[in-house]
Amino acid sequence: MKIQPLADRVLIEPAAAEEKTIGGIIIPDTAKEKPLQGTVVAVGKGTKDEEMVLKAGDQVLYGKYAGTELEHEGKKYLIMRQSDVVAVLA
Amino acid sequence: MKIQPLADRVLIEPAAAEEKTIGGIIIPDTAKEKPLQGTVVAVGKGTKDEEMVLKAGDQVLYGKYAGTELEHEGKKYLIMRQSDVVAVLA
Amino acid sequence: MKIQPLADRVLIEPAAAEEKTIGGIIIPDTAKEKPLQGTVVAVGKGTKDEEMVLKAGDQVLYGKYAGTELEHEGKKYLIMRQSDVVAVLA
Amino acid sequence: MKIQPLADRVLIEPAAAEEKTIGGIIIPDTAKEKPLQGTVVAVGKGTKDEEMVLKAGDQVLYGKYAGTELEHEGKKYLIMRQSDVVAVLA
Amino acid sequence: MKIQPLADRVLIEPAAAEEKTIGGIIIPDTAKEKPLQGTVVAVGKGTKDEEMVLKAGDQVLYGKYAGTELEHEGKKYLIMRQSDVVAVLA
Amino acid sequence: MKIQPLADRVLIEPAAAEEKTIGGIIIPDTAKEKPLQGTVVAVGKGTKDEEMVLKAGDQVLYGKYAGTELEHEGKKYLIMRQSDVVAVLA
Amino acid sequence: MKIQPLADRVLIEPAAAEEKTIGGIIIPDTAKEKPLQGTVVAVGKGTKDEEMVLKAGDQVLYGKYAGTELEHEGKKYLIMRQSDVVAVLA
């Protein structure tokens, strides 16, 4: 059974070690909001206001407090709106 | 007598045991807002801004504080806007 | 003299006993906002953003704090926007 | 010299005795916001978002805190947006 | 050198005695917000959302806290958006 | 190196003596927000919602707390949205 | 691996010494919000509401609290919406 995000939401599997992420991006420890990194697992179909540009497999950065946590078959996921994703690693 | 949601609302029957839901999704106990699971019983006709993509029988995840509770013929239901539903299980 | 709601408002006569409503819906006593039940008496003509789907005679559910109370010829009414009505009983 | 409301505003002469209004509508004394009654004296030309449906002579109900008070040739008036008027008596 | 309001703003010269205005309108001393009176001196060109209906010479009523004060060649003026003007005297 | 404002922003050089400005406008010392005066140095290209009507050389009035200060080659400037400019002197 | 901003976001490398920036702009120490300077490294594809006018290599000024910090291959970056950039140096 798969989790299919609705509308402009994306399902993300956070990177294992959030402080030392894949791709060599180290997130500094400051007072500012820090983006975290993960892998897109599934995307919604978008809305008329928000076309989906992300796809499964994309490595993305997102805000620390973005999205909603859930756990499925032993893995932790985040589900958030595409607009809460700030960048993709390419 | 049936409950027919208006506009972009959906009527949901919450899963019996909310902490151990069907489909194998276990919701962890954290400080973040946690989605809960249920079954769509009826949907509104949508609005010009929100087309309905959910249908009766869909297994869905929704935010913990989403919707309004009601009780009908001994069963508890939630009525909420489709946009408060974050994902469908497929 | 009749009360004609303006724009997208509806005039509702609340069900006599609000805790034990017609149609067999019992509203549980919880901390969440509870919908109440009533009968639509008159509807506005709608606006360009909100087409009227309710009509006189509809049994409806609405939020506890929705609308404005008034009294006319010994009966109590509520006047509220159609969007504050969450469901119709059919 | 006449007061001509601008845009989607209406000029209203409140009913003399607000607690016991014409048309037989008695407003109950509760904690909820109570509509008051008056007579439309003049209306604006409307805006592209708000067409005027009220006209001079209409008996209307409006929210207790709606509008701005003014006094002209010994009479008290209220000026408010048409959208603050909840119903017309017909 | 003239002050030309931008967009949907109007330049107003407040009536000399604000409590006893021209046109015979006496503003009562109540807790509600009271409109004040003045003469339009100059108007902006409007915006695509707000067409100008006021013109120089119009006697207008406006909210007590509307606009920004300025002084030019010994006279006090107010500059405010047209939508803060509630009525014109005709 | 020139500062080119983006979108609907304008770069303004404030008048030297802000309390006694050119053009004879004296800003009174009251509790209300007071507009200040300056000269437009550069303007952005506008947006689809905001066409630019100001041009370099315009003498303008703007709100006391509008914009962001910066210093370039020994001169102080303000950068603000065109909509924060209330009037032009002509 | 490159950081590709999403939607209307831009990736900026802040100027090395923020108090004494390239281009000769010295930011004064006042109570007002001060713009900082940096170089655009990458830009998103824009949205239907926000066309991208910035490009890689642009020297830009932005608000002190704009954007989100991140670190990549030993360099610090900021990622922010284009609308948080107030000016470009040309």
Side-chain angles (χ1 to χ4, degrees):
Chain A
M1 194 164 248
K2 267 180 35 184
I3 300 170
Q4 173 61 39
L6 277 185
D8 54 351
R9 291 184 184 82
V10 294
L11 186 71
I12 292 175
E13 189 182 342
E18 290 187 335
E19 292 311 304
K20 186 82 178 64
T21 61
I22 66 173
I25 296 175
I26 300 152
I27 292 129
D29 187 4
T30 72
K32 278 205 175 182
E33 182 190 339
K34 295 170 294 185
L36 300 178
Q37 187 175 333
T39 306
V40 174
V41 176
V43 301
K45 285 173 180 173
T47 66
K48 70 179 175 185
D49 287 326
E50 179 85 6
E51 201 184 341
M52 301 312 282
V53 295
L54 294 175
K55 58 186 185 305
D58 281 349
Q59 299 289 321
V60 292
L61 301 177
Y62 50 86
K64 193 171 187 175
Y65 302 108
T68 302
E69 290 179 342
L70 55 91
E71 195 175 317
H72 183 43
E73 296 172 1
K75 281 184 183 165
K76 288 185 176 182
Y77 296 97
L78 282 168
I79 193 157
M80 69 185 66
R81 293 183 182 280
Q82 179 176 266
S83 58
D84 289 330
V85 177
V86 298
V88 62
L89 301 178
Chain B
M1 196 163 246
K2 267 180 35 184
I3 300 170
Q4 173 61 39
L6 276 186
D8 54 350
R9 291 184 183 82
V10 294
L11 186 71
I12 292 174
E13 188 182 342
E18 290 187 336
E19 291 311 304
K20 187 80 177 65
T21 61
I22 65 174
I25 296 175
I26 300 152
I27 292 129
D29 187 4
T30 73
K32 278 206 176 183
E33 182 191 337
K34 294 170 296 185
L36 300 179
Q37 187 174 332
T39 306
V40 174
V41 177
V43 300
K45 285 174 180 172
T47 66
K48 70 180 175 184
D49 287 325
E50 179 84 5
E51 201 184 341
M52 301 311 283
V53 295
L54 294 175
K55 58 186 186 305
D58 282 349
Q59 299 290 320
V60 292
L61 301 176
Y62 50 87
K64 193 171 187 174
Y65 302 106
T68 302
E69 290 178 343
L70 55 92
E71 195 174 318
H72 183 43
E73 297 172 0
K75 282 185 183 165
K76 288 186 177 183
Y77 295 96
L78 282 168
I79 193 156
M80 69 185 67
R81 294 184 181 279
Q82 180 175 264
S83 59
D84 289 330
V85 177
V86 298
V88 62
L89 302 178
Chain C
M1 196 164 246
K2 267 180 35 185
I3 301 170
Q4 173 61 39
L6 278 185
D8 55 350
R9 292 183 182 83
V10 295
L11 185 71
I12 292 174
E13 187 182 343
E18 292 187 334
E19 292 311 303
K20 187 79 177 65
T21 61
I22 65 175
I25 296 175
I26 300 152
I27 292 130
D29 187 5
T30 72
K32 278 206 175 183
E33 182 190 339
K34 295 170 295 186
L36 300 178
Q37 187 174 332
T39 306
V40 175
V41 176
V43 301
K45 285 174 180 172
T47 66
K48 69 181 175 185
D49 288 325
E50 179 85 5
E51 202 185 341
M52 301 312 282
V53 296
L54 294 175
K55 58 185 185 306
D58 282 350
Q59 298 290 321
V60 293
L61 301 177
Y62 50 86
K64 193 172 187 174
Y65 302 107
T68 301
E69 290 178 343
L70 54 92
E71 195 174 319
H72 183 43
E73 297 171 0
K75 281 185 183 166
K76 288 187 177 182
Y77 295 96
L78 282 168
I79 193 156
M80 69 184 67
R81 293 184 181 280
Q82 179 176 263
S83 59
D84 290 331
V85 177
V86 299
V88 63
L89 301 178
Chain D
M1 195 164 245
K2 267 180 37 184
I3 301 170
Q4 173 61 40
L6 277 185
D8 54 350
R9 291 184 183 83
V10 294
L11 185 71
I12 292 175
E13 188 182 341
E18 291 188 333
E19 292 310 304
K20 188 77 178 65
T21 61
I22 66 175
I25 296 175
I26 300 152
I27 292 129
D29 187 6
T30 71
K32 279 203 174 185
E33 182 191 337
K34 294 170 296 186
L36 300 178
Q37 187 174 333
T39 306
V40 175
V41 176
V43 301
K45 286 175 180 171
T47 66
K48 70 180 176 186
D49 287 326
E50 179 85 6
E51 202 185 341
M52 301 312 282
V53 295
L54 294 175
K55 58 186 184 306
D58 282 350
Q59 298 291 321
V60 293
L61 302 176
Y62 50 86
K64 192 173 188 174
Y65 302 107
T68 302
E69 290 178 343
L70 55 92
E71 194 174 318
H72 183 41
E73 297 170 359
K75 281 186 183 165
K76 289 187 176 182
Y77 294 97
L78 282 168
I79 193 157
M80 68 184 68
R81 293 183 182 280
Q82 179 176 263
S83 59
D84 290 330
V85 177
V86 299
V88 63
L89 301 179
Chain E
M1 196 164 244
K2 267 181 35 185
I3 301 170
Q4 173 62 39
L6 277 185
D8 54 350
R9 291 182 184 84
V10 295
L11 185 71
I12 292 174
E13 187 183 341
E18 290 189 333
E19 292 309 305
K20 187 80 179 60
T21 62
I22 64 174
I25 296 175
I26 300 152
I27 291 129
D29 187 6
T30 71
K32 278 204 173 183
E33 182 192 337
K34 294 170 295 186
L36 300 179
Q37 186 174 333
T39 306
V40 174
V41 176
V43 302
K45 286 174 180 172
T47 67
K48 69 179 176 186
D49 288 327
E50 179 86 5
E51 202 185 339
M52 301 312 282
V53 295
L54 293 176
K55 58 186 184 307
D58 282 350
Q59 299 290 321
V60 292
L61 301 176
Y62 49 86
K64 192 172 188 175
Y65 302 107
T68 302
E69 290 178 343
L70 55 91
E71 194 174 319
H72 183 41
E73 297 170 359
K75 280 186 183 164
K76 289 187 175 181
Y77 295 97
L78 281 168
I79 194 157
M80 68 185 67
R81 293 183 181 281
Q82 179 175 264
S83 59
D84 290 331
V85 176
V86 298
V88 62
L89 301 180
Chain F
M1 196 164 245
K2 268 181 34 185
I3 300 170
Q4 173 60 40
L6 278 185
D8 54 350
R9 290 182 184 84
V10 295
L11 185 71
I12 291 174
E13 188 183 341
E18 290 187 334
E19 293 310 304
K20 187 81 178 62
T21 62
I22 64 172
I25 296 174
I26 300 152
I27 292 128
D29 187 5
T30 71
K32 277 206 174 182
E33 182 192 337
K34 294 170 294 184
L36 300 179
Q37 186 174 335
T39 306
V40 175
V41 176
V43 302
K45 286 174 179 171
T47 66
K48 69 178 176 187
D49 288 327
E50 179 86 4
E51 200 184 341
M52 301 312 282
V53 295
L54 294 176
K55 58 186 184 309
D58 282 349
Q59 299 289 320
V60 292
L61 302 177
Y62 49 86
K64 192 170 187 176
Y65 303 107
T68 302
E69 290 178 342
L70 56 91
E71 194 174 320
H72 183 43
E73 298 170 359
K75 281 186 183 163
K76 288 187 176 181
Y77 296 97
L78 281 168
I79 194 157
M80 68 185 66
R81 293 181 182 281
Q82 179 176 264
S83 59
D84 290 331
V85 177
V86 298
V88 63
L89 301 179
Chain G
M1 196 164 247
K2 267 181 35 185
I3 302 170
Q4 173 60 41
L6 277 185
D8 54 350
R9 291 183 183 84
V10 294
L11 186 71
I12 292 174
E13 189 183 341
E18 291 187 334
E19 292 310 305
K20 186 83 178 63
T21 61
I22 65 172
I25 295 175
I26 300 152
I27 292 128
D29 187 5
T30 71
K32 278 205 174 181
E33 182 190 338
K34 295 170 294 185
L36 301 178
Q37 186 174 334
T39 306
V40 174
V41 176
V43 301
K45 285 173 181 174
T47 66
K48 69 179 175 186
D49 287 326
E50 179 86 4
E51 201 185 340
M52 301 313 281
V53 296
L54 295 175
K55 57 185 186 307
D58 281 349
Q59 299 289 321
V60 292
L61 301 177
Y62 49 86
K64 192 170 188 175
Y65 302 107
T68 302
E69 290 179 341
L70 55 91
E71 194 174 319
H72 183 43
E73 297 170 0
K75 281 186 184 164
K76 288 186 177 182
Y77 296 97
L78 282 168
I79 193 157
M80 68 185 67
R81 293 182 182 281
Q82 180 176 264
S83 59
D84 289 331
V85 177
V86 297
V88 63
L89 301 179

